[in-house]
Every structure is written in structure tokens, then in C-alpha cells.
Amino acid sequence: MTASTTMTIRLDPQLKAKLGRLADGTRRSRSFLAAEAVEAYVDRELAIIDGIERGLADVESGRTVSHDDAMASMRQAIEDAAGGTA
């Protein structure tokens, strides 16, 4: 079994009631659902931070494209996809 720890959080009574309703409907505990929600939130936010850090590293290393060059490339891709008639 995976080790776990306890954390206390404050919830609005309405949110706690909704969590209870979800727990009843899914036959899971409120604790299980809250932990699952926190994990999903943390994973998503960390992925965003990782992406930002990669982007900043690209800027620092000069791995960027100017806006004008990017737009020209996109226009060309659109034109090519339209069979050169765009």
C-alpha cells in the first residue's frame, strides 16, 4: 500500500456538500475524491510551469522565431494546403 499523509483544508459548506454528493454517486470517499482532484490540479499546474521554463530556456538560448517569420510560414502552409489558390 502507498504511504500517505493527512492534510486539513477548509471548504465552503456548499462545496463540501457537492463533494459528498459526488462521493455518494461514485461510491468513493470524499477524501479519495479530494486527493484525486488535488493531484490532477497539481499535475496540470506543474506542467504549465515546466512549459514556461522550457520556453524561457528557448529564449535564453536563442531558439526563437520572429513574429513576421512565423506568420509568413503559416501563410505559406495555408496556401500550400489550399493547393496554392489562397
Side-chain angles (χ1 to χ4, degrees), residues 17-49:
K18 288 195 284 188
L19 183 58
R21 186 172 155 216
L22 182 60
D24 291 343
T26 59
R27 295 185 179 169
R28 296 286 191 169
S29 69
R30 288 186 314 218
S31 178
F32 174 87
L33 294 174
E36 193 173 62
V38 169
E39 182 177 14
Y41 173 80
V42 168
D43 288 347
R44 185 186 73 231
E45 294 299 309
L46 286 175
I48 291 169
I49 289 170

Side-chain angles (χ1 to χ4, degrees), residues 4-5 8-9 15 19-20 22 34 43-44 57 63 72 77 80:
S4 65
T5 186
T8 302
I9 62 170
L15 178 56
L19 183 58
L22 182 60
D43 288 347
R44 185 186 73 231
R63 294 185 302 261
D80 292 347

Side-chain angles (χ1 to χ4, degrees), residues 70-85:
M71 292 305 295
S73 178
M74 293 303 298
R75 284 187 195 98
Q76 186 62 54
I78 292 168
E79 186 175 325
D80 292 347
T85 61

Side-chain angles (χ1 to χ4, degrees), residues 45-60:
E45 294 299 309
L46 286 175
I48 291 169
I49 289 170
D50 290 344
I52 291 168
E53 289 174 347
R54 283 192 311 274
L56 291 172
D58 285 343
V59 169
E60 288 178 19

